Amino acid sequence: MEYDDGEGPQLPAARGPLSAAVGACLLGTGPPPGPEEAATADAYGDDLQLALYQCYELHYRGFAGVSPALEWDPGLLRLRAALERRFLAALRADTPVHDSVEDAIGALLVEPVHGEGVSHFLRDEGELWQLREYAAQRSLYHLKEADPHAWVLPRLWGRAKAAMAAVEFDEYGGGRADRVHAHLFARLMTDLGLDTTYGRHLDAASAECLVTVNMMSLFGLHRALRGALVGHFAAVEITSSPGSRRLAEAMRRTGAGPAAEHFYDEHVEADAVHEQIVRHEVIDGLLEQEPHLAADVVFGIDATCHVEDLFGARLLADWRAGRSSLRVPLPGPAHQDSGISFIS
């Protein structure tokens, strides 16, 4: 097999038999696990989610020392399909769904007077070490921001395609490398003293974080789930502006740094515009052409809220208990509070 020359992130440490077997397969030291081994795994657990993340990452930047030919390895694809069936079944079973697209979007537009989510916590009482942990986990997505959503472009046409491409163009900096949102997030990480290497914080990230990232890839890589991807993207863009405003305030209050502030300030403005485009052009354009996808759009919106709630609950439970939300300490500069405990 032909191997990469060391580019790409390092393979993560295994979190169970599934992820260990996938890692061994990627290194050429063992076969992929059989699909039956995924059938009883915890759908939201560390082992299944890491195994699925490893399979998906082959479609992004891959891993150092792993053959790019494995992207289309039949054994890994069979395993990935089994992992996806388990994950998607859990999402469908556990996600409370609205009756219509209008109802689902309407719920997103209501900002609670007394919010209790992660962005509210970080704005009002979060400490710098908690902002660092939040950024480290979110880096699994933000260092490839918009990439999972780009998979849907070949599956759309007309108004929906044009509008989706316009939003993605903004996410990729409008043609300017220094304004690509992934680059802006790397600068935020630099302000926070975090290693900006792509994939560097995978070992530290919780299963709940992996769930949020894997769901994007699941929706993006399947044409049958294009409606769910559009719903997911709508949920992200509609909720981003107010959440980003709170996170920008958290960065200012803690003195995180100008680049940390700028990343979220940029999203306050950009995503307020994107929200309108996604609602009125992407969703309306899609359903004008394919009205049968309305239920999938609703599922995508509500599943996004479901997995974000899982991740938020994990973060807040750990932080309010005075412990780290990470599985292992952050690499790079020493943690400012060496007394906190790490849960793996």
Side-chain angles (χ1 to χ4, degrees), residues 17-340:
L18 279 170
S19 53
V22 171
C25 178
L26 295 180
L27 292 175
T29 60
E36 66 281 355
E37 297 180 50
T40 57
D42 180 357
Y44 304 129
D46 277 296
D47 193 28
L48 183 144
Q49 288 297 321
L50 182 60
L52 188 54
Y53 188 97
Q54 290 175 105
C55 291
Y56 282 147
E57 195 57 36
L58 298 176
H59 300 294
Y60 293 102
R61 300 194 197 180
F63 294 100
V66 171
S67 169
L70 288 173
E71 180 179 5
W72 303 111
D73 178 79
L76 282 171
L77 290 176
R78 281 193 295 271
L79 171 66
R80 197 191 91 186
L83 297 170
E84 289 175 329
R85 284 193 296 272
R86 179 76 171 147
F87 183 31
L88 184 58
L91 288 174
R92 291 197 184 280
D94 299 340
T95 299
V97 294
H98 287 85
D99 293 332
S100 68
V101 173
E102 292 74 19
D103 288 346
I105 290 177
L108 294 177
L109 293 172
V110 176
E111 271 283 294
V113 176
H114 303 292
E116 298 179 345
V118 170
S119 64
H120 294 87
F121 174 89
L122 291 174
R123 178 195 64 189
D124 297 337
E125 55 185 296
E127 299 178 26
L128 196 58
W129 68 269
Q130 292 162 332
L131 287 169
R132 295 182 78 239
E133 289 195 355
Y134 183 74
Q137 297 208 59
R138 286 297 195 189
S139 72
L140 298 189
Y141 166 64
H142 280 303
L143 290 181
K144 61 183 174 202
E145 184 169 342
D147 290 351
H149 307 129
W151 297 113
V152 82
L153 284 170
R155 288 86 186 262
L156 304 175
W157 65 93
R159 284 171 59 200
K161 187 188 201 78
M164 189 75 186
V167 175
E168 288 284 274
F169 184 63
D170 281 352
E171 302 283 354
Y172 292 131
R176 290 181 52 184
D178 63 326
R179 298 189 64 179
V180 172
H181 284 187
H183 172 75
L184 297 181
F185 194 79
R187 293 181 59 205
L188 170 150
M189 295 176 73
T190 298
D191 268 3
L192 292 173
L194 295 171
D195 188 333
T196 65
T197 305
Y198 180 88
R200 182 67 176 88
H201 302 291
L202 177 54
D203 281 331
S206 64
E208 291 83 357
C209 174
L210 298 185
V211 166
T212 67
V213 183
N214 282 339
M215 193 188 73
M216 299 182 206
S217 297
L218 170 66
F219 291 168
L221 284 167
H222 289 271
R223 188 174 66 84
L225 294 172
R226 62 194 180 280
L229 188 283
V230 167
H232 158 74
F233 194 58
V236 170
E237 296 299 325
I238 290 171
T239 59
S240 175
S241 187
S244 293
R245 182 176 291 107
R246 289 187 287 271
L247 290 169
E249 292 173 8
M251 296 296 175
R252 274 187 279 274
R253 181 178 60 78
T254 57
E261 296 172 19
H262 176 69
F263 177 82
Y264 289 111
D265 284 334
E266 170 75 12
H267 281 70
V268 171
E269 297 183 16
D271 291 342
V273 176
H274 293 171
E275 171 200 331
Q276 298 297 315
I277 297 173
V278 173
R279 286 171 58 194
H280 300 299
E281 295 299 323
V282 179
I283 290 180
D284 288 356
L286 174 68
L287 297 183
E288 182 180 82
Q289 296 162 329
E290 300 186 275
H292 62 283
L293 293 180
D296 287 345
V297 173
V298 172
F299 172 62
I301 292 172
D302 290 333
T304 301
C305 296
H306 170 61
V307 302
E308 286 293 332
D309 285 347
L310 292 177
F311 183 41
R314 167 65 185 269
L315 290 172
L316 293 177
D318 286 336
W319 291 342
R320 285 175 173 150
R323 62 176 178 258
S324 172
S325 65
L326 305 179
R327 300 182 73 257
V328 296
L330 290 172
H335 201 292
Q336 70 175 50
D337 183 358
S338 59
I340 66 172

